[in-house]
Amino acid sequence: MEAAQRFLHSQGASVIDSIVVTRELLGAGQGCLGTAKQIVLTSAARTIELREYQRLIEGNEEA
């Protein structure tokens, strides 16, 4: 799955698009959306996006 994430990132796929594609690769069954989100956001190819996501979540918790 990491190779798929590197490919999606190299093609300029957004995080949301990558989550959708990953969900489909997982079979789009129940619970796959959360799993796909975790795979995309923890991918080594998405370290910058992960940091921004964590900063956003922390900001919402403080508000």
Side-chain angles (χ1 to χ4, degrees):
M1 202 52 83
E2 185 61 32
Q5 299 312 309
R6 284 193 308 270
F7 175 76
L8 290 166
H9 188 262
S10 73
Q11 297 300 306
S14 69
V15 171
I16 298 297
D17 288 340
S18 295
I19 291 171
V20 171
V21 169
T22 303
R23 179 180 173 265
E24 293 299 317
L25 290 172
L26 292 171
Q30 188 172 3
C32 285
L33 183 58
T35 303
K37 179 179 137 186
Q38 181 179 6
I39 290 169
V40 171
L41 292 177
T42 60
S43 167
R46 299 284 179 179
T47 55
I48 293 170
E49 289 92 341
L50 175 59
R51 278 185 250 149
E52 290 182 22
Y53 173 76
Q54 289 171 331
R55 191 170 45 238
L56 176 66
I57 295 300
E58 289 171 5
N60 284 339
E61 290 174 353
E62 293 174 2

